[in-house]
């Protein structure tokens, strides 16, 4: 293996590692966004359940 071959291999490795890092970062950002949306939906559902419970308790009394 020549020095040029070694440098070419190193550059390919670094380019691949950088691409994987960018992909990993994008996936983490998507998961963070999805988690935020799920939390918002859970809060909306909890609010709706509390409201329904409140309305049902008024009818029972």
């Amino acid at each position: 293996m020549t020095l040029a071959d070694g440098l070419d291999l190193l550059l390919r490795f670094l380019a691949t590692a950088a691409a994987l890092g960018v992909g990993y970062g994008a996936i983490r950002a998507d998961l963070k966004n999805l988690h935020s949306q799920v939390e918002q939906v859970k809060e909306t559902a909890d609010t709706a359940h509390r409201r329904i419970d409140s309305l049902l308790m008024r009818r029972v009394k």
Side-chain angles (χ1 to χ4, degrees):
M1 178 188 282
T2 66
L3 180 59
D5 291 338
L7 289 176
D8 184 53
L9 183 61
L10 178 62
L11 287 175
R12 287 178 190 231
F13 174 78
L14 292 175
T16 301
L20 289 173
V22 169
Y24 178 73
I27 290 170
R28 284 187 49 89
D30 286 345
L31 287 174
K32 184 177 180 181
N33 184 30
L34 182 59
H35 179 73
S36 174
Q37 290 176 359
V38 166
E39 290 297 319
Q40 290 173 356
V41 169
K42 285 169 60 178
E43 183 59 37
T44 301
D46 288 344
T47 301
H49 285 126
R50 285 192 297 272
R51 178 78 175 131
I52 290 168
D53 287 345
S54 174
L55 292 171
L56 289 175
M57 292 306 279
R58 287 182 189 168
R59 283 189 138 185
V60 170
K61 289 181 180 181

